[in-house]
Amino acid sequence: MSLVTLLPFIVLIGAMFLMTRSAKKKQQQAVDMRNQMQPGSGVRTIGGMYATVKEVNDDTVLLDAGPGVELLFAKNSIGAVLTDDEYNRIVHGIEHDLKSDADIVPDDASSLTGTDASADDAAASDGKSVDLGKKDADDEPTADAAPAEAKTDEQAKKSDGGSEAK
């Protein structure tokens, strides 16, 4: 047999070896994680329930899910052992302040632009609205022309409406 005919079989066997090796590695990591459980540590089950470990046995784990609620689970049903900070953040909503010296983002953009906010507030409190649109003097209709056009449109609609009803 030539090497060319054996090459696909060799590649297939190598791929199977690599896949089983990575699966065994992940399984071993999960077993190590479950063996590191101690009473008092927070866990998440594979069903998504968060609880505190009360007692660890060979194949089972006694979990405290709340006041007066103790549950017996198989060790294999523990999906993750959580750190204390992560457990408190998820279950109790307590955020651990890791960045106490971090910059705080202001609520308004005045400190970011460098302009004085009091000048903007004074202009806005005058009662005059500020028009930010660009207008040319030739494009602006006069104040008398707009209401006249609206009245003629309304009268035309009223007269047309009666003829359509017939």
Side-chain angles (χ1 to χ4, degrees):
M1 294 188 115
S2 70
L3 184 63
V4 174
T5 57
L6 291 177
L7 188 62
F9 294 111
I10 294 172
V11 170
L12 183 64
I13 291 171
M16 288 175 38
F17 173 74
L18 290 176
M19 284 190 280
T20 57
R21 183 176 173 207
S22 66
K24 284 182 183 180
K25 204 175 196 181
K26 286 181 183 179
Q27 189 175 19
Q28 184 61 38
Q29 287 176 345
V31 168
D32 291 341
M33 181 248 335
R34 289 181 185 117
N35 288 335
Q36 292 175 355
M37 279 189 300
Q38 299 174 4
S41 60
V43 295
R44 182 185 69 233
T45 65
I46 58 174
M49 185 183 73
Y50 292 93
T52 305
V53 176
K54 191 168 186 177
E55 183 179 315
V56 179
N57 297 321
D58 291 337
D59 294 331
T60 60
V61 178
L62 185 64
L63 300 178
D64 182 17
V69 180
E70 294 179 353
L71 305 167
L72 186 65
F73 275 83
K75 245 186 182 180
N76 292 338
S77 66
I78 303 300
V81 177
L82 307 172
T83 63
D84 290 338
D85 291 338
E86 186 177 11
Y87 181 77
N88 287 332
R89 180 183 58 81
I90 294 170
V91 175
H92 303 295
I94 300 170
E95 290 287 334
H96 181 68
D97 191 16
L98 295 175
K99 298 179 181 178
S100 60
D101 296 333
D103 294 334
I104 298 174
V105 178
D107 290 339
D108 60 347
S110 63
S111 65
L112 300 174
T113 59
T115 60
D116 187 17
S118 61
D120 295 338
D121 293 340
S125 65
D126 288 344
K128 298 178 184 176
S129 63
V130 178
D131 187 16
L132 300 175
K134 181 178 178 184
K135 293 182 182 177
D136 291 335
D138 299 336
D139 294 342
E140 289 184 21
T142 60
D144 298 334
E149 290 176 10
K151 288 179 184 176
T152 56
D153 289 341
E154 289 177 17
Q155 290 173 354
K157 288 180 184 177
K158 287 181 184 177
S159 63
D160 290 341
S163 63
E164 289 178 20
K166 291 179 184 178

PDB file of all heavy atoms in Angstrom, residues 1 6 13 36 55 61 93 124 128 145 148:
ATOM      1  N   MET A   1       0.846  -1.185   0.000  1.00  0.00           N
ATOM      2  CA  MET A   1       0.000   0.000   0.000  1.00  0.00           C
ATOM      3  C   MET A   1       0.885   1.241   0.000  1.00  0.00           C
ATOM      4  O   MET A   1       1.923   1.271   0.628  1.00  0.00           O
ATOM      5  CB  MET A   1      -0.885   0.036   1.232  1.00  0.00           C
ATOM      6  CG  MET A   1      -1.913  -1.058   1.293  1.00  0.00           C
ATOM      7  SD  MET A   1      -3.015  -0.764   2.646  1.00  0.00           S
ATOM      8  CE  MET A   1      -4.505  -0.502   1.780  1.00  0.00           C
ATOM      9  N   LEU A   6      -2.952   5.679   2.618  1.00  0.00           N
ATOM     10  CA  LEU A   6      -3.026   5.627   4.076  1.00  0.00           C
ATOM     11  C   LEU A   6      -3.164   7.008   4.722  1.00  0.00           C
ATOM     12  O   LEU A   6      -3.561   7.114   5.888  1.00  0.00           O
ATOM     13  CB  LEU A   6      -1.784   4.933   4.636  1.00  0.00           C
ATOM     14  CG  LEU A   6      -1.659   3.448   4.359  1.00  0.00           C
ATOM     15  CD1 LEU A   6      -0.338   2.930   4.917  1.00  0.00           C
ATOM     16  CD2 LEU A   6      -2.816   2.693   4.976  1.00  0.00           C
ATOM     17  N   ILE A  13      -7.396   9.388  12.281  1.00  0.00           N
ATOM     18  CA  ILE A  13      -6.999   8.863  13.597  1.00  0.00           C
ATOM     19  C   ILE A  13      -6.368   9.971  14.442  1.00  0.00           C
ATOM     20  O   ILE A  13      -6.630  10.089  15.639  1.00  0.00           O
ATOM     21  CB  ILE A  13      -6.058   7.658  13.429  1.00  0.00           C
ATOM     22  CG1 ILE A  13      -6.825   6.472  12.838  1.00  0.00           C
ATOM     23  CG2 ILE A  13      -5.414   7.280  14.752  1.00  0.00           C
ATOM     24  CD1 ILE A  13      -5.956   5.303  12.443  1.00  0.00           C
ATOM     25  N   GLN A  36     -12.349  20.710  44.827  1.00  0.00           N
ATOM     26  CA  GLN A  36     -11.904  21.878  45.579  1.00  0.00           C
ATOM     27  C   GLN A  36     -13.035  22.532  46.375  1.00  0.00           C
ATOM     28  O   GLN A  36     -12.810  23.481  47.102  1.00  0.00           O
ATOM     29  CB  GLN A  36     -11.294  22.918  44.635  1.00  0.00           C
ATOM     30  CG  GLN A  36      -9.995  22.476  44.023  1.00  0.00           C
ATOM     31  CD  GLN A  36      -9.477  23.479  43.014  1.00  0.00           C
ATOM     32  OE1 GLN A  36     -10.126  24.468  42.708  1.00  0.00           O
ATOM     33  NE2 GLN A  36      -8.285  23.209  42.489  1.00  0.00           N
ATOM     34  N   GLU A  55     -22.126  20.904  53.123  1.00  0.00           N
ATOM     35  CA  GLU A  55     -21.395  19.678  53.464  1.00  0.00           C
ATOM     36  C   GLU A  55     -20.992  18.971  52.175  1.00  0.00           C
ATOM     37  O   GLU A  55     -21.768  18.902  51.224  1.00  0.00           O
ATOM     38  CB  GLU A  55     -22.318  18.781  54.300  1.00  0.00           C
ATOM     39  CG  GLU A  55     -21.702  17.510  54.786  1.00  0.00           C
ATOM     40  CD  GLU A  55     -22.708  16.706  55.620  1.00  0.00           C
ATOM     41  OE1 GLU A  55     -23.393  17.298  56.461  1.00  0.00           O
ATOM     42  OE2 GLU A  55     -22.795  15.497  55.371  1.00  0.00           O
ATOM     43  N   VAL A  61     -23.323  16.376  47.612  1.00  0.00           N
ATOM     44  CA  VAL A  61     -23.066  17.692  48.187  1.00  0.00           C
ATOM     45  C   VAL A  61     -24.373  18.187  48.793  1.00  0.00           C
ATOM     46  O   VAL A  61     -25.422  18.135  48.147  1.00  0.00           O
ATOM     47  CB  VAL A  61     -22.584  18.688  47.107  1.00  0.00           C
ATOM     48  CG1 VAL A  61     -22.365  20.058  47.687  1.00  0.00           C
ATOM     49  CG2 VAL A  61     -21.342  18.199  46.429  1.00  0.00           C
ATOM     50  N   GLY A  93     -26.438  40.806  44.918  1.00  0.00           N
ATOM     51  CA  GLY A  93     -26.361  42.084  44.217  1.00  0.00           C
ATOM     52  C   GLY A  93     -25.320  43.022  44.792  1.00  0.00           C
ATOM     53  O   GLY A  93     -25.380  44.223  44.585  1.00  0.00           O
ATOM     54  N   ALA A 124     -30.831  79.523  27.899  1.00  0.00           N
ATOM     55  CA  ALA A 124     -32.027  78.697  27.835  1.00  0.00           C
ATOM     56  C   ALA A 124     -33.116  79.220  28.759  1.00  0.00           C
ATOM     57  O   ALA A 124     -34.306  79.056  28.499  1.00  0.00           O
ATOM     58  CB  ALA A 124     -31.691  77.257  28.189  1.00  0.00           C
ATOM     59  N   LYS A 128     -36.447  82.382  25.356  1.00  0.00           N
ATOM     60  CA  LYS A 128     -36.317  82.361  23.913  1.00  0.00           C
ATOM     61  C   LYS A 128     -35.751  81.020  23.494  1.00  0.00           C
ATOM     62  O   LYS A 128     -34.799  80.540  24.073  1.00  0.00           O
ATOM     63  CB  LYS A 128     -35.379  83.466  23.445  1.00  0.00           C
ATOM     64  CG  LYS A 128     -35.864  84.856  23.771  1.00  0.00           C
ATOM     65  CD  LYS A 128     -34.867  85.880  23.313  1.00  0.00           C
ATOM     66  CE  LYS A 128     -35.273  87.274  23.707  1.00  0.00           C
ATOM     67  NZ  LYS A 128     -34.268  88.259  23.345  1.00  0.00           N
ATOM     68  N   ALA A 145     -48.197  84.688   4.962  1.00  0.00           N
ATOM     69  CA  ALA A 145     -48.425  83.779   3.842  1.00  0.00           C
ATOM     70  C   ALA A 145     -48.747  82.373   4.320  1.00  0.00           C
ATOM     71  O   ALA A 145     -49.571  81.691   3.726  1.00  0.00           O
ATOM     72  CB  ALA A 145     -47.200  83.752   2.938  1.00  0.00           C
ATOM     73  N   ALA A 148     -52.505  81.828   5.429  1.00  0.00           N
ATOM     74  CA  ALA A 148     -53.415  81.960   4.301  1.00  0.00           C
ATOM     75  C   ALA A 148     -53.414  80.688   3.473  1.00  0.00           C
ATOM     76  O   ALA A 148     -54.462  80.232   3.015  1.00  0.00           O
ATOM     77  CB  ALA A 148     -53.014  83.165   3.447  1.00  0.00           C
TER      78      ALA A 148
END
